[in-house]
Amino acid sequence: MIAQLMANQVSTDLCVTANARVMGKISGRSRQIDALIDARHDTDNSRRIVVDAKKRKRKIDVTDVEAFRGLMDDVGATHGYLICPTGHTKAAEKRAQMAVTICLVALDHIPNFDPWQWPLCKNAACKQGRIFWGGYPELSPVMTNGAQRIRVPFVHSVGKCDRCGRFHVECHRCGDILSLPEDQDDDFGHHCRCRPPWFWIASIEEDEEGRRSGELHAVLVNRPDRPVTFDRRPYD
């Protein structure tokens, strides 16, 4: 739910992954993150944001902030949001202020949002995963209609399964939901029933520090050398 709220509010230049897993560069362990915010359009993890939601009866204290700071350092996050619906202590607030890049967020009201209404993951190997929609990009190619050339908008939902992380794309015109694995070298792309002049493909990319990311691309048929990245997720 917190990830969905973040996705509805962050800049379109950012993408949100719910229930993400990132390999810790200090611990060497896979770390679970409630909501991960990364750059959408390029392989750049230099401004990573992590969100930790604490559904507890007690207030967040200074030890929670210290642990969160350690998580941020381990996964290379520059900023962090610690969600504390029941509030936080003064000591926790002072520690967060010292860290500068940690924000404590108190929620007086949580909107009614049911994750069980998310569509089921289309990956046959995934059990009970749900698709978390994190963006709504529009592609507007110029198409020929007789002697006219007109720009036709196509709106999509792009997102990831909250369990296996696989990318999904939903076309708002035909209603098709595409499931795109990013680890297949012989993947020639995926089309919905609209058969637009582009196809969707997922790949694994690596940044300068050797950290890998899965990336979702739209590739125009007449410009295959310039794919557009629409979503990203960390790759263990």
Side-chain angles (χ1 to χ4, degrees):
M1 184 197 67
I2 294 298
Q4 183 66 69
L5 292 175
M6 291 288 178
N8 290 342
Q9 297 179 53
V10 300
S11 164
T12 54
D13 291 332
L14 302 173
C15 63
V16 181
T17 302
N19 191 28
R21 300 204 73 89
V22 176
M23 186 62 66
K25 60 182 181 181
I26 299 173
S27 67
R29 297 169 47 205
S30 179
R31 306 295 300 268
Q32 188 273 341
I33 299 170
D34 292 339
L36 177 69
I37 303 175
D38 272 332
R40 183 185 297 276
H41 297 295
D42 53 52
T43 309
D44 176 17
N45 296 316
S46 63
R47 52 174 181 153
R48 171 170 285 171
I49 301 170
V50 294
V51 183
D52 196 10
K54 299 293 187 184
K55 186 180 180 181
R56 295 178 176 175
K57 294 181 180 180
R58 64 172 178 83
K59 293 182 178 181
I60 299 301
D61 61 25
V62 67
T63 57
D64 296 312
V65 180
E66 292 281 9
F68 186 53
R69 178 74 238 185
L71 171 67
M72 290 174 59
D73 291 339
D74 202 18
V75 301
T78 57
H79 295 78
Y81 290 88
L82 195 57
I83 310 299
C84 37
T86 55
H88 54 268
T89 64
K90 290 184 178 180
E93 183 176 4
K94 288 182 180 179
R95 182 63 185 91
Q97 290 173 344
M98 287 177 60
V100 180
T101 56
I102 297 178
C103 180
L104 303 181
V105 182
L107 298 180
D108 297 325
H109 174 71
I110 299 177
N112 183 22
F113 185 81
D114 185 5
W116 292 106
Q117 297 302 315
W118 299 350
L120 287 170
C121 177
K122 302 299 181 182
N123 180 4
C126 181
K127 303 300 182 183
Q128 298 183 341
R130 299 273 176 169
I131 304 170
F132 168 72
W133 300 119
Y136 305 92
E138 178 181 309
L139 291 169
S140 302
V142 176
M143 304 181 72
T144 302
N145 183 14
Q148 291 184 318
R149 289 172 58 83
I150 57 175
R151 191 171 294 277
V152 181
F154 286 78
V155 179
H156 304 79
S157 297
V158 298
K160 302 171 280 281
C161 173
D162 65 351
R163 287 183 180 260
C164 71
R166 177 172 287 195
F167 291 111
H168 290 77
V169 177
E170 180 182 22
C171 174
H172 287 201
R173 279 177 172 258
C174 66
D176 277 359
I177 298 180
L178 308 177
S179 174
L180 298 96
E182 66 267 20
D183 55 355
Q184 295 183 357
D185 294 333
D186 58 348
D187 192 344
F188 295 102
H190 301 257
H191 288 273
C192 66
R193 284 176 293 168
C194 295
R195 303 299 296 181
W198 67 80
F199 57 88
W200 297 90
I201 195 168
S203 65
I204 299 173
E205 306 296 337
E206 191 171 296
D207 67 10
E208 295 179 354
E209 297 184 4
R211 292 177 295 192
R212 297 190 301 165
S213 298
E215 298 190 356
L216 172 67
H217 310 283
V219 183
L220 292 173
V221 173
N222 60 350
R223 296 300 303 269
D225 59 324
R226 300 184 67 178
V228 181
T229 304
F230 279 106
D231 210 348
R232 299 180 64 233
R233 73 174 181 90
Y235 195 87
D236 290 339

